Amino acid sequence: MLQDESLARFCDVYHQLDKNCTERLYEIYTEDIRFRDPLHHVEGVTALKEYFDAMYKNVTECRFTFHDGQRHQHQAFVTWTLSLAHPRLAGGRSFTVEGCSHLTFAADGSDRVCEHRDYFDAGELLYERLPVLGRLIRRIRQRAAD
């Protein structure tokens, strides 16, 4: 699937992440990593580890399945499906969200990521899964599609 060894290693670390092994983030990110997704912006690998620790503390499932990836020089994209279960979302049931990550690898030859930007539908991940707000957003989406 992934031809590039450093991109494959990145995905492999994410496959192994859970609440007991967020230390592996230090293997794939630079000290000054800039991480952004539709809900958060984090700078520095220690702050990123703290963010992941807090996230894993509250979820009962968080698993990434990677589909395809391309790397050209220091830039890479990888597509994924996130399987997530959180006691306060979707009645605690597992659900999936599709997304992709744009990665910038450090130019120092370390093959560690210095910028990571995730793209996914925040409504699909969070807002639609909340009890009252979810019904309202689904109704709005239905009307927009009609």
Side-chain angles (χ1 to χ4, degrees), residues 42-56:
V42 179
E43 292 194 22
V45 71
T46 301
L48 185 61
K49 182 187 176 309
E50 290 169 359
Y51 165 65
F52 272 79
D53 286 341
M55 179 186 63
Y56 278 109

Side-chain angles (χ1 to χ4, degrees), residues 15-50:
H15 278 292
Q16 297 174 30
L17 284 180
D18 65 21
K19 62 183 165 188
N20 299 313
C21 74
T22 56
E23 295 290 329
R24 301 251 359 241
L25 294 171
Y26 291 102
E27 297 174 23
I28 57 172
Y29 290 117
T30 60
E31 288 293 320
D32 61 346
I33 177 67
R34 288 183 304 280
F35 176 92
R36 181 182 296 272
D37 67 24
L39 303 171
H40 299 92
H41 179 198
V42 179
E43 292 194 22
V45 71
T46 301
L48 185 61
K49 182 187 176 309
E50 290 169 359

Side-chain angles (χ1 to χ4, degrees), residues 50-106:
E50 290 169 359
Y51 165 65
F52 272 79
D53 286 341
M55 179 186 63
Y56 278 109
K57 178 179 163 184
N58 296 315
V59 299
T60 53
E61 175 189 1
C62 183
R63 183 175 27 97
F64 286 89
T65 302
F66 294 96
H67 306 294
D68 192 20
Q70 293 284 332
R71 180 174 174 182
H72 179 69
Q73 297 177 351
H74 299 298
Q75 302 294 314
F77 282 93
V78 63
T79 59
W80 44 261
T81 302
L82 168 64
S83 298
L84 185 70
H86 188 289
R88 294 186 190 158
L89 299 175
R93 295 179 313 278
S94 180
F95 59 93
T96 61
V97 175
E98 303 291 323
C100 72
S101 297
H102 173 220
L103 308 170
T104 303
F105 286 86

